[in-house]
Amino acid sequence: MRHYRLFIPLLYIALACVIIALATICMTTGAIDIPPSQVWAALTGGHVDNRVWSVIVTQSRLPQTVTALMAGAALACGGLLLQTLFANPLADPSILGVSSGAGLGVAAVMLASGGAVGSLAGTLSTVAGAMVGAMAVLALIIALSTVVRSNVMLLVVGLMIGYMASSAVSLFSFMGAAESVKSFSVWGMGDFGGVSLARLPYFVAITAAGLLWALLMMKPMNAMLLGESYCRNLGVNLKKLRVSVLLSTGLLTAVVTAFCGPVSFIGLAVPHMARLLTGTSDHRVLMPVVMLLGAAVALACNLLTTVFGEGNLLPLNVVTPLLGAPVIIYVIVNKRKIAYFN
Amino acid sequence: MDKSEKIRPCAVECRDLSIGHRDGRPLFRHLDLVLPKGEVTSLLGVNGSGKSTLIKTICGFIPPVGGEISIAGRRSCEYSREEMARTVGVVLTERGAEGGLTVYETVSLGRYPYTDFLGRMKAEDIAAVEQALEEVGIANKRDCHLSRMSDGERQKVMIAKAIAQNCPIVVLDEPTAFLDVAARIRTMELLRKISREGDRAILISTHDLDLALRMSDNLWIMSPDTGVIQGPVAEVVERGGLRYILGDDMETGRYASLYDTRR
């Protein structure tokens, strides 16, 4: 632990610099390049040479950048929590079907309301739908985890639940009105740009609450690494911890899924990147790094969606697997060399 | 028989204890057991005889079906979760996802019941971890990841965790199961040493009859017919307690006398 003393603070600083740099690029580049000084002026209420710039910065780029930042941190944190809870390095909200569950909830709300998600009430009911769907899947998986002892089998069960949710979603789309089906399938591609400035405070407040909740669990999550009996012997209330992990992960996944769509691979890959970077499984070091790294990766993915120009934005879920899947393949290929596998 | 051994203060005392899982019939009834301080006690029994149920009950993982357990003079049901964590430390065969933790980080988890909600270590916590590392003899490997260690070394780390937990009672479930002969002897020596040095009561469940006879002070032998036979090693052997693990038939029964003459 002693050799971390210098490395970890430096890592925090480096990650913060990367996030600031990526956020600056997100704010300044796009269909129209805006000089950083003008972006700054627009944000701080100073004099901006071009009125359109001011609107672009505050109405479009600011919400998108902040959303990417928070969503990345939230998804990565949810992945870390589930990987520790299930003692399985391949656990992740999207793999375990939690995102599909949230998607089912969103589909139910969207298609029932005829695609009217523009209003605040529509947004809140979408979030509530996602939350109910995500929680239902997580509760089902936790319940099954007492019967299915093997973690690999449990992942397969999660995949199956995900397929069932997707199939229900397909059924809804088949029966739904064309208008609402279109808005739902656009939602399904993932997008950090879907949160308007008016709704941004809600999104930030909910994700921040979820992240804070996760940070408060750093200590018992460490005990969890030793396995359930050791964890209990150290005085941890296991039942309470499980429920707490379930609720916080459900909250983080649901709110991101409701606002940005089912974003894949960030939750799975970022905890691995953070462990490789820090060389530890200690959550007191790992969890803040996972959040910062998740934010940075999400910003990078957001930037990559614009590689073909602002006119042809790539769907977010085209980019995230390209970044995430190689990390997982690297980790599996080098399993024997990597310390946190046994 | 040394009389002083009998009046040594005991760490755990079970009175009229019945154990078993709540749904089924109790496995054992009316057990009266004494775990002495400052000594190593080995729990022996054939597979399925209820060793792990007894151990889980003493550790507070499952409640007793009947009777009571008194730990350090207080009834176990009066202990809060945190108090229990400071009183009984366990070393198990169970493996989690601890491979990515260093030795120091793992042993530090033993301070879990003492640190604040962020797990920050105060000077006394650091001192306790350092002492545990020294006592077990792995201080030189403090920055090693557990994934890089042998089974014997991992066992030592978990024993150090239990020492850092500062418990007067340490319960070990088959601590020598996966070890080679040399590592088994070293582990038992270590357990003897820490029982003497900290006046700790050590309870080991094991199938290793030879080591149990040579290196522990007391035996608890579980037998489905007569409950648990307990006492200092020589006394239990004299009373023919080994029959219950070796069996009564001609083939294995002969070996009971073999162990008799050895003592």
Side-chain angles (χ1 to χ4, degrees):
Chain A
M1 183 166 272
R2 286 176 306 179
H3 63 282
Y4 294 145
R5 280 209 185 127
L6 199 60
F7 175 64
I8 294 301
L10 282 178
L11 185 63
Y12 288 146
I13 295 169
L15 281 172
C17 291
V18 169
I19 289 173
I20 291 168
L22 286 168
T24 311
I25 301 173
C26 282
M27 296 292 286
T28 53
T29 60
I32 309 165
D33 289 345
I34 305 172
S37 61
Q38 293 294 306
V39 170
W40 183 251
L43 289 177
T44 53
H47 172 73
V48 185
D49 299 344
N50 188 335
R51 238 194 76 70
V52 179
W53 287 358
S54 168
V55 174
I56 292 176
V57 167
T58 55
Q59 299 294 319
S60 161
R61 289 189 188 166
L62 174 69
Q64 183 158 0
T65 306
V66 174
T67 303
L69 205 117
M70 296 303 282
L75 290 170
C77 180
L80 175 65
L81 289 173
L82 288 185
Q83 286 175 15
T84 302
L85 181 71
F86 288 108
N88 191 320
L90 292 180
D92 152 65
S94 58
I95 288 206
L96 283 171
V98 183
S99 302
S100 309
L104 180 59
V106 171
V109 171
M110 272 195 182
L111 302 173
S113 65
V117 288
S119 65
L120 181 61
T123 306
L124 288 181
S125 55
T126 311
V127 175
M131 191 81 195
V132 169
M135 290 307 194
V137 170
L138 267 175
L140 189 59
I141 287 174
I142 292 275
L144 285 170
S145 74
T146 57
V147 187
V148 184
R149 280 284 166 193
S150 152
N151 280 319
V152 178
M153 287 302 131
L154 195 64
L155 276 190
V156 176
V157 168
L159 280 174
M160 293 306 127
I161 294 174
Y163 281 126
M164 288 201 291
S166 307
S167 136
V169 168
S170 302
L171 182 68
F172 279 166
S173 324
F174 180 70
M175 300 190 308
E179 184 64 15
S180 45
V181 170
K182 170 122 199 323
S183 71
F184 181 75
S185 46
V186 169
W187 171 87
M189 294 176 191
D191 183 11
F192 291 136
V195 182
S196 71
L197 186 62
R199 281 184 276 162
L200 187 63
Y202 299 98
F203 179 74
V204 172
I206 303 174
T207 43
L211 292 175
L212 186 68
W213 190 350
L215 284 171
L216 293 178
M217 291 190 289
M218 286 190 294
K219 186 188 176 191
M221 291 307 275
N222 274 347
M224 200 76 174
L225 287 174
L226 298 181
E228 289 190 356
S229 300
Y230 276 121
C231 185
R232 194 135 54 124
N233 179 249
L234 289 171
V236 177
N237 186 339
L238 258 186
K239 216 177 262 176
K240 208 173 110 190
L241 180 62
R242 275 185 158 216
V243 170
S244 186
V245 171
L246 173 106
L247 287 175
S248 57
T249 313
L251 179 74
L252 288 168
T253 311
V255 71
V256 173
T257 308
F259 280 100
C260 310
V263 182
S264 59
F265 276 100
I266 291 183
L268 183 59
V270 170
H272 288 282
M273 293 160 72
R275 287 192 202 98
L276 293 172
L277 212 57
T278 59
T280 185
S281 304
D282 183 344
H283 290 78
R284 286 172 298 167
V285 173
L286 201 56
M287 205 178 270
V289 172
V290 160
M291 289 176 186
L292 291 174
L293 199 60
V297 167
L299 284 172
C301 289
N302 190 43
L303 270 178
L304 285 174
T305 60
T306 62
V307 282
F308 294 123
E310 196 101 349
N312 339 290
L313 281 183
L314 291 174
L316 189 57
N317 278 332
V318 168
V319 178
T320 50
L322 291 179
L323 228 67
V327 173
I328 300 305
I329 294 171
Y330 171 83
V331 164
I332 290 175
V333 168
N334 292 287
K335 197 169 183 276
R336 283 171 177 281
K337 281 190 248 161
I338 297 173
Y340 58 81
F341 285 106
N342 271 310
Chain B
M1 266 275 343
D2 186 357
K3 276 274 190 285
S4 68
E5 278 197 358
K6 281 222 157 165
I7 47 170
R8 276 196 71 84
C10 60
V12 177
E13 204 180 344
C14 306
R15 272 178 248 104
D16 197 25
L17 180 71
S18 299
I19 59 167
H21 289 281
R22 220 176 309 176
D23 42 354
R25 221 166 46 86
L27 275 169
F28 280 95
R29 286 175 201 274
H30 316 303
L31 294 176
D32 292 301
L33 292 166
V34 169
L35 185 71
K37 272 188 192 172
E39 294 183 359
V40 176
T41 303
S42 287
L43 170 59
L44 294 157
V46 293
N47 277 339
S49 61
K51 287 201 304 277
S52 74
T53 308
L54 178 59
I55 277 192
K56 281 180 189 162
T57 311
I58 289 176
C59 294
F61 291 167
I62 51 178
V65 178
E68 62 180 47
I69 304 174
S70 118
I71 296 174
R74 266 173 73 198
R75 284 161 62 205
S76 64
C77 55
E78 291 168 7
Y79 279 80
S80 72
R81 209 175 259 114
E82 289 74 22
E83 286 171 330
M84 199 67 181
R86 295 176 192 201
T87 313
V88 181
V90 299
V91 176
L92 307 162
T93 45
E94 156 181 325
R95 269 201 187 182
E98 71 276 7
L101 292 176
T102 63
V103 169
Y104 189 90
E105 287 165 346
T106 311
V107 177
S108 300
L109 279 175
R111 298 306 292 172
Y112 191 98
Y114 303 90
T115 52
D116 64 8
F117 78 104
L118 285 176
R120 278 178 298 206
M121 305 263 286
K122 292 190 284 292
E124 67 203 67
D125 299 311
I126 294 168
V129 172
E130 293 294 340
Q131 202 203 326
L133 289 170
E134 288 296 333
E135 224 173 303
V136 173
I138 43 164
N140 55 333
K141 296 217 167 181
R142 66 176 66 230
D143 291 327
C144 235
H145 280 114
L146 255 62
S147 56
R148 298 279 174 270
M149 308 190 91
S150 68
D151 288 334
E153 288 172 321
R154 272 188 171 207
Q155 195 79 58
K156 275 189 182 176
V157 175
M158 296 321 286
I159 292 173
K161 182 231 59 158
I163 294 175
Q165 217 173 324
N166 203 13
C167 296
I169 299 149
V170 181
V171 179
L172 301 97
D173 188 18
E174 308 212 15
T176 55
F178 301 111
L179 307 183
D180 59 36
V181 179
R184 282 173 192 219
I185 295 173
R186 274 197 292 271
T187 303
M188 289 299 283
E189 283 288 1
L190 173 67
L191 292 174
R192 268 178 87 91
K193 192 181 97 174
I194 63 171
S195 72
R196 305 295 192 266
E197 281 175 4
D199 201 27
R200 299 179 180 97
I202 311 276
L203 177 63
I204 307 168
S205 87
T206 183
H207 284 298
D208 203 329
L209 178 59
D210 220 42
L211 272 183
L213 289 176
R214 284 159 186 270
M215 304 188 76
S216 54
D217 304 293
N218 307 289
L219 294 181
W220 286 4
I221 293 184
M222 296 199 88
S223 102
D225 319 318
T226 52
V228 179
I229 298 162
Q230 60 171 329
V233 173
E235 192 190 308
V236 170
V237 173
E238 255 168 50
R239 275 159 48 199
L242 298 189
R243 248 182 319 145
Y244 297 106
I245 17 178
L246 292 168
D248 262 333
D249 59 88
M250 288 300 288
E251 270 306 294
T252 54
R254 286 209 308 261
Y255 290 95
S257 58
L258 199 143
Y259 282 108
D260 261 337
T261 52
R262 225 184 242 195
R263 293 298 304 191

